[in-house]
């Protein structure tokens, strides 16, 4: 009996709500008034677009310079020579296995006909990386030095990473237009958080007794940073660089939607035309490039690999030969 | 002369030390301050003088404030209130620039976990203080190598610290601290992380080095044996206060309270007590000065069973027991030098008791000498036995 009574009272709520105007709004207050956040944001973006054009140009001009410089070089050098140069650099930086792998991957990219697109994508990634490094590492250092700055920057980074990357394409397009430079800017925004985080973390994780020792022997804050904190945080910072590279590469498909050329554009075009072959080739190109860049940056990041770089790779081989020739063991 | 003078030093950890400080000055205890304000009283009104060229061991359990105290001296930690004078300069009031100069030139430090830079080679670690100071590369390298040689690690100069054992790493830490030529050496439990055997070796080496270098050393330890072995003086800390400052011997024989007593009760007192403290000054006769009969009479009045014969420089040359003397008198022998025994042992007054036990085999109590070799008295087995036992004397007396 009581059960039925209870059931009826539940059922009667919507009836009650329908019956009376006031109760209706009481139960659904959002129907009465909503904050026009979307309008506000539109107005704010309009305001920024109208009044901060010099600022947006100030940002995009240096990015354009760097991008053009890198891209022109990558496209101007004949593929065979560039192939050798990149393969040898990879050997030098990351050892012969990864060098050989990079070399073969680049040959594969060229032989499926996406050499030019790959080089464009590479130049976009490298440009984004350069700017990420020059802003991200100093920001990470600032965060590590001051808890207050970290408190402010951390939610900002969370926001940047959790907002779907499509969302900030719109303000970027409104502020910077479409094309490669806005694409790089969107890529930087997306790819910089891990670098800042890992720089901050790396410096904060330097053992306390090492920091104390550096201070006890009279280091200035700058000496502390350069002599103790940065060298010890380097593996962590380079892990951040690795992440930034991969994030930047993963943005290449999304930025293709604001007319950024390269491998990503092939994917988007293929999807648009239902050309599975085209988008697969583009996708595979991105994957190959990603593996190559990941392996190289990871190898650099492994501790100690920056020491004695001259003993490895082509330089090491040549120096070794010269050394042996001096000893008279090898006659040239 | 005091090199470091600490006056009414107080350190309170926490976000608002002012309130805690006023509470403390109104007589609140450590626990009360923690409960009321959440602030931790690290150092509670410590005053201390450290003399030039001495090793002062600051001893206490963990959390007693000893590490905080030593870090206040080079201002790795800023005191909440009070004064620390180094060569007369109050370092609590200094600006960062001057503090750095003091760290570069006057105070260096050795750390418990070595605090070596893992990415720098051994010699680069040692020259760090000089590098920060701005010394040219060649000069500082040379100096670093000299200091590495002092601690016996020359051949390891170009290795990374991680390829060295713990004891060797701490030698590098010591060399790094010595390289700056600072007069004050702060050592924060430098040997605690080492194996007992290595620890003993390092302690000996430190004492050897100190004989040459004559630094002012503030040595933190939680190990009473280490403190007694190394310290010229020992300061015992508890809950941020200094409970007792005294020489090792005084610490063992006259502990100020139960806390210190508990610390020292398991100590092997024979290793700590010096011969000098148990020496019985007895009447000694100068050779050629008295006749045998007068010596005998004198011994009778002093109720003395034996006597040492000294030369004109007050250095012992022979020993006589009362019975020998009596036999000699009966036989009519009048020359003391002929009847005295010369196979007695001499010990210096600063030697610890344990090292003279074997001398009692002969049955002749050893003669105790001072620095100049002059006769001070004798040390007797019964006195030693009465003093080296456990401090819980009351129980034994009841039995």
């Amino acid at each position: 009996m009581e059960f039925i009574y209870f059931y009826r009272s539940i059922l009667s709520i919507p009836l009650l709500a329908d019956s009376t105007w006031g109760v209706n709004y009481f139960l659904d207050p959002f129907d009465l008034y909503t904050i026009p956040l979307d309008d506000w944001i539109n107005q704010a973006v309009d305001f920024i677009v109208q009044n901060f054009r010099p600022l947006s140009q100030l940002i995009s001009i240096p990015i354009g310079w760097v991008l053009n410089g890198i891209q022109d070089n990558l496209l101007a050098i004949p593929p065979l020579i560039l192939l050798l140069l990149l393969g040898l650099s990879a050997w030098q930086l990351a050892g012969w296995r990864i060098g050989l792998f990079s070399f073969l991957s680049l040959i594969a990219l060229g032989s499926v006909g996406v050499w030019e697109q790959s080089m464009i994508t590479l130049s976009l990634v490298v440009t984004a990386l350069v700017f990420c490094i020059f802003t991200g590492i100093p920001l990470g250092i600032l965060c590590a030095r001051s808890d207050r700055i970290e408190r402010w920057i951390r939610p900002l980074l969370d926001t940047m990473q959790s907002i779907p990357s499509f969302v900030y394409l719109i303000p970027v397009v409104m502020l910077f237009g479409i094309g490669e430079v806005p694409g790089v800017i969107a890529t930087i925004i997306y790819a910089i958080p891990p670098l800042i985080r890992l720089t901050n973390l790396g410096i904060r994780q330097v053992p306390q007794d090492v920091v104390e020792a550096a201070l006890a022997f009279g280091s200035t804050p700058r000496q502390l940073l350069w002599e103790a904190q940065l060298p010890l945080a380097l593996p962590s910072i380079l892990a951040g660089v690795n992440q930034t590279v991969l994030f930047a590469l993963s943005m290449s498909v999304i930025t293709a939607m604001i007319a950024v050329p390269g491998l990503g554009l092939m994917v988007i075009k293929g999807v648009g035309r239902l050309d599975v072959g085209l988008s697969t080739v583009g996708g595979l190109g991105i994957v190959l490039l990603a593996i190559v860049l990941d392996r190289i940056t990871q190898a650099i990041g492994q501790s100690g690999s920056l020491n004695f770089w001259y003993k490895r790779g082509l330089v090491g081989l040549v120096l070794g030969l010269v050394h042996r020739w001096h000893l008279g063991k090898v006659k040239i | 002369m005091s090199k470091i003078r600490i006056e009414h030093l107080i350190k309170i950890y926490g976000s608002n030390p002012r309130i805690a400080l006023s509470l403390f000055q109104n007589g609140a205890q450590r626990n009360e301050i923690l409960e009321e304000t959440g602030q931790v009283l690290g150092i509670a009104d410590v005053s201390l003088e450290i003399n030039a060229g001495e090793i002062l061991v600051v001893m206490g359990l963990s959390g007693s404030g000893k590490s905080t105290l030593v870090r206040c001296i080079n201002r790795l930690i800023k005191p909440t209130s009070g004064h620390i004078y180094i060569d007369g300069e109050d370092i609590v009031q200094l600006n960062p620039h001057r503090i750095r100069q003091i760290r570069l030139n006057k105070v260096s430090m050795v750390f418990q976990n070595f605090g070596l830079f893992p990415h720098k080679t051994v010699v680069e670690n040692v020259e760090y203080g000089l590098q920060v100071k701005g010394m040219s590369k060649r000069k500082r390298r040379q100096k670093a190598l000299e200091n590495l040689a002092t601690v016996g690690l020359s051949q390891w100069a170009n290795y990374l610290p991680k390829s060295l054992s713990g004891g060797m790493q701490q030698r590098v830490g010591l060399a790094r601290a010595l390289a700056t030529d600072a007069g004050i050496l702060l050592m924060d439990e430098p040997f605690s992380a080492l194996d007992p055997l290595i620890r003993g070796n390092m302690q000996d080496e430190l004492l050897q080095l100190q004989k040459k270098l004559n630094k002012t050393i503030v040595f933190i330890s939680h190990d009473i044996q280490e403190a007694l072995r190394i310290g010229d003086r020992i300061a015992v800390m508890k809950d941020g206060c200094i409970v007792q400052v005294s020489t090792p011997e005084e610490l063992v024989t006259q502990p100020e309270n139960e806390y210190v007593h508990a610390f020292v009760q398991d100590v092997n007192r024979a290793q700590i007590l010096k011969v000098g403290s148990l020496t019985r000054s007895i009447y000694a006769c100068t050779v050629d000065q008295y006749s045998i009969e007068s010596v005998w009479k004198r011994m009778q009045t002093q109720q003395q069973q034996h006597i040492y014969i000294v030369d004109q420089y007050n250095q012992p040359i022979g020993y006589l027991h009362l019975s020998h003397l009596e036999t000699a008198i009966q036989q009519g022998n009048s020359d003391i030098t002929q009847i005295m025994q010369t196979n007695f042992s001499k010990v210096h007054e600063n030697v610890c008791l344990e090292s003279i036990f074997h001398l009692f085999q002969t049955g002749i109590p050893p003669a105790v000498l001072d620095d100049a070799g002059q006769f001070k008295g004798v040390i007797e087995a019964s006195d030693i036995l009465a003093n080296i036992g456990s401090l819980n004397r009351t129980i034994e007396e009841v039995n």
Side-chain angles (χ1 to χ4, degrees):
Chain A
M1 193 65 196
E2 277 173 32
F3 175 71
I4 291 170
Y5 198 73
F6 172 74
Y7 207 70
R8 268 169 77 188
S9 69
I10 293 266
L11 284 175
S12 66
I13 287 179
L15 290 173
L16 198 80
D18 274 350
S19 64
T20 345
W21 185 85
V23 177
N24 199 359
Y25 280 109
F26 175 72
L27 290 175
D28 185 6
F30 307 123
D31 208 29
L32 190 64
Y33 180 75
T34 46
I35 300 167
L37 186 64
D38 46 353
D39 290 343
W40 292 354
I41 291 174
N42 282 336
Q43 280 166 15
V45 171
D46 283 347
F47 178 77
I48 293 170
V49 169
Q50 278 160 20
N51 295 288
F52 289 86
R53 186 146 292 280
L55 183 72
S56 66
Q57 277 171 341
L58 199 70
I59 295 171
S60 54
I61 286 172
I63 294 178
W65 284 343
V66 174
L67 179 65
N68 288 334
I70 295 174
Q71 206 170 78
D72 291 351
N73 275 310
L74 288 183
L75 292 175
I77 301 172
L80 185 66
I81 295 175
L82 190 55
L83 199 63
L84 285 171
L85 279 177
L86 292 177
L88 287 176
S89 329
W91 180 18
Q92 190 67 58
L93 287 169
W96 69 270
R97 284 168 201 274
I98 293 167
L100 185 65
F101 177 73
S102 313
F103 189 67
L104 294 177
S105 304
L106 288 170
I107 288 177
L109 287 173
S111 44
V112 295
V114 294
W115 180 265
E116 197 181 322
Q117 284 90 336
S118 307
M119 288 306 116
I120 290 172
T121 299
L122 186 62
S123 63
L124 290 165
V125 169
V126 171
T127 309
L129 180 64
V130 167
F131 283 93
C132 282
I133 287 176
F134 277 102
T135 51
I137 294 180
L139 276 175
I141 293 170
L142 275 180
C143 285
R145 284 211 178 162
S146 147
D147 288 337
R148 185 175 295 171
I149 293 179
E150 196 203 15
R151 266 205 301 281
W152 282 99
I153 286 189
R154 184 169 275 216
L156 200 68
L157 295 180
D158 292 339
T159 317
M160 282 160 76
Q161 279 191 306
S162 55
I163 286 183
S165 34
F166 291 99
V167 174
Y168 47 73
L169 279 185
I170 301 159
V172 164
V173 168
M174 293 188 78
L175 279 170
F176 299 98
I178 59 167
E180 294 186 337
V181 172
V184 171
I185 292 169
T187 307
I188 291 172
I189 296 173
Y190 182 67
I192 206 170
L195 186 57
I196 299 177
R197 279 185 209 277
L198 283 164
T199 304
N200 174 31
L201 189 71
I203 291 178
R204 282 175 186 268
Q205 279 180 342
V206 171
Q208 187 56 35
D209 58 333
V210 174
V211 174
E212 255 191 346
L215 287 175
F217 283 94
S219 308
T220 59
R222 176 173 300 190
Q223 283 165 332
L224 173 68
L225 182 69
W226 285 100
E227 296 291 334
Q229 290 177 322
L230 280 184
L232 291 178
L234 197 62
S236 174
I237 294 173
L238 290 173
V241 169
N242 173 272
Q243 288 298 298
T244 294
V245 167
L246 295 185
F247 274 46
L249 208 53
S250 72
M251 267 298 272
S252 61
V253 177
I254 290 155
T255 53
M257 286 191 289
I258 55 169
V260 176
L263 293 169
L265 194 60
M266 291 176 68
V267 177
I268 292 287
K269 267 186 193 164
V271 171
R273 297 178 199 158
L274 286 180
D275 186 343
V276 179
L278 185 66
S279 50
T280 308
V281 169
L284 280 178
I286 291 175
V287 169
L288 270 185
L289 213 52
I291 296 176
V292 168
L293 290 175
D294 174 58
R295 291 298 125 82
I296 294 175
T297 46
Q298 247 182 33
I300 297 172
Q302 266 153 22
S303 61
S305 73
L306 284 181
N307 303 330
F308 308 117
W309 61 271
Y310 51 84
K311 285 193 179 168
R312 285 199 313 267
L314 185 65
V315 177
L317 195 66
V318 172
L319 285 179
L321 280 178
V322 169
H323 185 62
R324 282 168 72 176
W325 177 67
H326 268 294
L327 292 175
K329 285 183 184 158
V330 177
K331 295 270 189 299
I332 298 177
Chain B
M1 190 206 102
S2 71
K3 181 90 174 165
I4 307 170
R5 199 167 81 246
I6 299 170
E7 281 180 1
H8 301 296
L9 192 71
I10 298 170
K11 171 67 192 176
I12 291 160
Y13 290 105
S15 50
N16 198 343
R18 289 274 148 241
I19 298 169
L21 184 64
S22 64
L23 267 178
F24 175 70
Q25 280 159 348
N26 291 328
Q29 294 296 308
R30 204 183 201 196
N31 296 341
E32 296 166 10
I33 293 173
L34 182 63
E35 258 172 47
E36 211 155 312
T37 63
Q39 322 271 301
V40 177
L41 185 60
I43 295 181
D45 197 6
V46 162
S47 296
L48 187 63
E49 291 209 9
I50 301 160
N51 302 322
E54 81 168 335
I55 301 182
L56 179 90
V57 178
V58 181
M59 207 195 61
L61 301 177
S62 52
S64 61
K66 52 196 197 308
S67 283
T68 305
L69 179 67
V70 81
R71 276 167 177 71
C72 285
I73 296 176
N74 65 355
R75 278 289 303 276
L76 284 177
I77 291 174
K78 188 168 172 32
T80 309
S81 128
H83 305 279
I84 300 174
Y85 298 95
I86 294 179
D87 295 332
E89 184 180 16
D90 187 357
I91 62 146
V92 174
Q93 307 300 337
L94 293 182
N95 60 15
H97 176 70
R98 183 79 191 118
I99 286 170
R100 266 204 303 282
Q101 283 183 329
I102 284 187
R103 289 174 185 166
L104 288 173
N105 300 310
K106 286 193 174 177
V107 185
S108 63
M109 192 161 179
V110 180
F111 295 86
Q112 179 173 12
N113 295 313
F114 320 138
L116 299 178
F117 304 110
H119 58 291
K120 290 176 184 283
T121 62
V122 165
V123 70
E124 282 169 353
N125 264 289
V126 175
E127 69 186 10
Y128 184 76
L130 308 172
Q131 180 193 350
V132 172
K133 220 190 249 189
M135 191 182 272
S136 76
K137 188 158 187 177
R138 256 192 52 208
K139 258 186 169 173
R140 72 180 192 234
R141 183 56 57 98
Q142 189 193 346
K143 195 143 190 224
L145 287 172
E146 281 168 18
N147 279 288
L148 265 183
T150 314
V151 298
L153 286 180
S154 300
Q155 68 274 37
W156 292 92
N158 294 317
Y159 286 79
L160 287 176
K162 69 177 173 206
S163 45
L164 273 62
S165 70
M168 287 155 89
Q169 289 193 28
Q170 194 54 294
R171 279 167 213 242
V172 177
L174 188 59
R176 177 173 67 177
L178 295 178
T180 61
D181 285 335
I184 298 170
L185 197 55
L186 306 177
M187 306 184 83
D188 182 18
E189 302 208 21
F191 306 146
S192 300
L194 306 177
D195 297 334
L197 201 64
I198 311 279
R199 194 186 306 160
N201 290 343
M202 293 290 285
Q203 289 163 355
D204 290 341
E205 270 177 53
L206 179 68
L207 291 174
Q208 289 298 321
L209 271 177
Q210 170 66 355
K211 271 184 200 160
K212 271 189 280 175
L213 301 171
N214 209 26
K215 306 258 182 199
T216 305
I217 299 177
V218 184
F219 190 106
I220 304 288
S221 179
H222 63 252
D223 177 2
I224 181 76
Q225 305 286 356
E226 183 173 69
L228 294 169
R229 185 164 180 186
I230 284 187
D232 293 322
R233 286 191 306 152
I234 296 169
V236 181
M237 282 190 83
K238 183 188 181 230
D239 294 344
C241 302
I242 288 190
V243 183
Q244 182 172 4
V245 188
S246 58
T247 62
E249 268 181 275
E250 281 169 10
L251 199 72
V252 172
T253 53
Q254 300 150 30
E256 199 107 320
N257 57 22
E258 277 304 308
Y259 184 74
V260 183
H261 180 113
F263 255 120
V264 298
Q265 67 177 355
D266 292 331
V267 166
N268 180 355
R269 308 178 85 217
Q271 281 178 349
I272 307 305
L273 294 181
K274 301 282 189 287
V275 167
S277 65
L278 296 181
T279 299
R280 227 171 241 249
S281 48
I282 58 166
Y283 161 69
C285 76
T286 313
V287 70
D288 298 338
Q289 201 174 347
Y290 300 103
S291 66
I292 287 191
E293 284 80 10
S294 65
V295 171
W296 181 77
K297 261 187 200 143
R298 193 71 182 268
M299 284 174 78
Q300 288 292 336
T301 51
Q302 303 273 339
Q303 296 189 325
Q304 215 168 292
Q305 288 299 310
H306 42 223
I307 191 166
Y308 267 98
I309 293 99
V310 296
D311 64 10
Q312 64 265 41
Y313 307 111
N314 199 23
Q315 289 173 342
I317 53 169
Y319 166 84
L320 270 180
H321 195 264
L322 192 60
S323 57
H324 296 144
L325 208 57
E326 281 165 353
T327 335
I329 291 169
Q330 280 164 15
Q331 290 169 353
N333 199 339
S334 63
D335 189 0
I336 287 184
T337 52
Q338 276 187 356
I339 57 165
M340 70 186 184
Q341 286 177 281
T342 51
N343 61 340
F344 63 92
S345 349
K346 300 180 220 173
V347 294
H348 190 268
E349 61 178 339
N350 281 344
V351 165
C352 72
L353 291 179
E354 199 178 53
S355 60
I356 65 160
F357 285 173
H358 63 283
L359 300 179
F360 289 94
Q361 275 180 329
T362 58
I364 302 175
V368 180
L369 310 181
D370 64 9
D371 282 329
Q374 302 220 332
F375 182 74
K376 293 259 304 186
V378 295
I379 177 143
E380 305 215 34
S382 54
D383 288 336
I384 293 180
L385 283 176
N387 278 284
I388 61 172
S390 160
L391 277 177
N392 297 333
R393 219 172 287 159
T394 44
I395 303 167
E396 286 155 26
E397 277 167 4
V398 169
N399 292 343

